[in-house]
Amino acid sequence: MSAVVVGHKNPDTDSIVSAIAAADLMSKRGVPSQPFCQGKIPPDTAFVLGSFGFPAPELLGPLAGKKVILVDHSDRGQAPEDLDQAELLGIFDHHKLGDITTSTPLFFWAQPVGCSCTVIKGVYDYYGVEIPRNIAGLMLCAILSDTLIFRSPTTTDEDRKAAKELARLAGVADYEALGMEMFVVKSAVTGVPARELLFRDYKDFTMNGQKVGVSQLEVVDIKLLDGVRADLRQAMTEAKAEGRHTIMLLLTDIMKEGSELLVLSDDANLAEKVFGAAATDTTYSSGNKNKGVWLPGVMSRKKDVVPKLEAVFK
Ligand code: MG
Ligand code: MG
Ligand code: MG
């Protein structure tokens, strides 16, 4: 029976592609493995899979009695609900250490880099395993996606180096152009239900016993979101009423290199506590009551938002 390789809930390109790459690597290392996903494939990921002729991984089923490898997360909140009924073989990740524990020894490949695929590329190299051309193309796109084409503060030299080598393996000449194509697909939000947009790239955290949700939409031009802001506000109100202390939405403009922050919280001063005076700037919102505040340089949930939020909740 193959081991199951799976990324986090509300999957992104890195979670899907890391599952595919890790399953290939593990299979070639003598552990037959198969990639799965924990939810709907987002449009930009579908574009990436299509570009390199790869089928979408199947939706994950029950884990009882199976062997599992996790990618792109190590916390229970992001993992399959029945993870405890499986044997966890190992983890490939690039996030802060989560709260998953095991009763058997495991491998754990983790690095503070911009993308899980950068970690997996390093493990392919470590074992001298060749990366197939189409998987190299997928991994390149995952790095471009997670690092916002190297603009995110999470980007490291290792990510740039890995992307360059993967582009060569995949035969992609202009990979920044490929990244822009992918983000243009990701930016097409018209006609998509607001709740789906809100939960597309969404993570719930437990902070000092409170449920705190942080969502992010990454687009090539924030003006593309003008038509959906009011509906997003409404979706946030509904999501908050489902038992959350706080719900934050980052509308990230990858070209302007900053994010508009929308926040609903039981703590009316939360945004100011987290982001300081910048979060009270009302000049940005004049004329549109649904607009939030513009935070220059805020690009990464992982680096710019979650640590500061946790510090406030402590
Ligand atoms: Mg991810
Ligand atoms: Mg990732
Ligand atoms: Mg992301």
Side-chain angles (χ1 to χ4, degrees):
M1 186 177 55
S2 294
V4 166
V5 189
V6 70
H8 55 73
K9 289 174 182 162
N10 305 315
D12 55 10
T13 298
D14 187 26
S15 257
I16 302 290
V17 170
S18 286
I20 291 171
D24 174 69
L25 172 62
M26 293 307 295
S27 296
K28 288 171 179 167
R29 293 282 306 151
V31 182
S33 302
Q34 215 189 316
F36 289 87
C37 63
Q38 284 200 74
K40 200 174 165 185
I41 307 275
D44 52 315
T45 309
F47 165 80
V48 166
L49 292 168
S51 298
F52 293 96
F54 227 91
E58 281 171 43
L59 205 57
L60 184 67
L63 283 181
K66 295 197 172 156
K67 294 181 192 301
V68 181
I69 294 162
L70 298 180
V71 293
D72 205 31
H73 70 293
S74 71
D75 42 348
R76 288 183 171 279
Q78 298 298 319
E81 304 297 337
D82 57 350
L83 181 67
D84 286 343
Q85 294 173 45
E87 182 194 345
L88 184 59
L89 297 183
I91 300 173
F92 296 90
D93 194 22
H94 70 127
H95 291 86
K96 74 184 171 72
L97 186 59
D99 54 359
I100 286 170
T101 55
T102 63
S103 49
T104 49
L106 79 165
F107 69 78
F108 197 156
W109 295 97
Q111 274 177 284
V113 292
C115 181
S116 292
C117 278
T118 302
V119 177
I120 296 169
K121 162 80 168 65
V123 183
Y124 267 107
D125 293 346
Y126 178 83
Y127 288 119
V129 175
E130 204 177 311
I131 306 177
R133 186 184 168 97
N134 57 353
I135 292 184
L138 297 179
M139 292 171 76
L140 166 66
C141 288
I143 295 174
L144 294 168
S145 176
D146 260 20
T147 65
L148 307 177
I149 322 181
F150 312 125
R151 288 172 172 85
S152 168
T154 56
T155 312
T156 66
D157 287 343
E158 300 234 23
D159 298 301
R160 291 176 209 276
K161 186 166 162 271
K164 204 170 175 182
E165 289 173 22
L166 290 164
R168 184 180 53 77
L169 290 173
V172 174
D174 187 349
Y175 54 92
E176 304 222 359
L178 173 64
M180 275 310 287
E181 249 187 282
M182 176 179 68
F183 274 104
V184 167
V185 172
K186 193 170 189 176
S187 302
V189 297
T190 317
V192 184
R195 189 177 170 91
E196 188 182 325
L197 287 178
L198 182 65
F199 284 99
R200 189 177 274 176
D201 183 3
Y202 177 91
K203 285 180 181 168
D204 269 321
F205 301 88
T206 304
M207 298 190 184
N208 204 3
Q210 307 283 5
K211 197 170 179 181
V212 176
V214 186
S215 173
Q216 185 172 25
L217 285 174
E218 296 153 343
V219 294
V220 291
D221 182 354
I222 198 157
K223 286 197 186 77
L224 294 165
L225 300 173
D226 282 348
V228 295
R229 224 183 240 97
D231 290 343
L232 283 170
R233 280 268 191 206
Q234 183 55 35
M236 285 173 73
T237 305
E238 286 162 23
K240 182 170 179 313
E242 289 158 14
R244 294 180 174 92
H245 175 281
T246 295
I247 184 155
M248 276 190 175
L249 171 58
L250 295 167
L251 305 176
T252 301
D253 187 319
I254 68 168
M255 304 311 289
K256 292 193 184 73
E257 303 197 7
S259 298
E260 178 185 328
L261 173 72
L262 305 180
V263 54
L264 293 176
S265 177
D266 289 343
D267 178 350
N269 301 316
L270 184 74
E272 192 182 350
K273 287 180 193 163
V274 175
F275 296 104
T280 61
D281 181 8
T282 52
T283 52
Y284 179 73
S285 59
S286 59
N288 183 343
K289 67 176 170 50
N290 289 309
K291 259 192 186 177
V293 289
W294 177 254
L295 301 173
V298 170
M299 305 274 281
S300 164
R301 169 172 48 209
K302 186 206 290 191
K303 203 153 185 168
D304 299 322
V305 180
V306 172
K308 289 178 184 169
L309 254 178
E310 284 188 319
V312 168
F313 272 86
K314 237 170 210 158

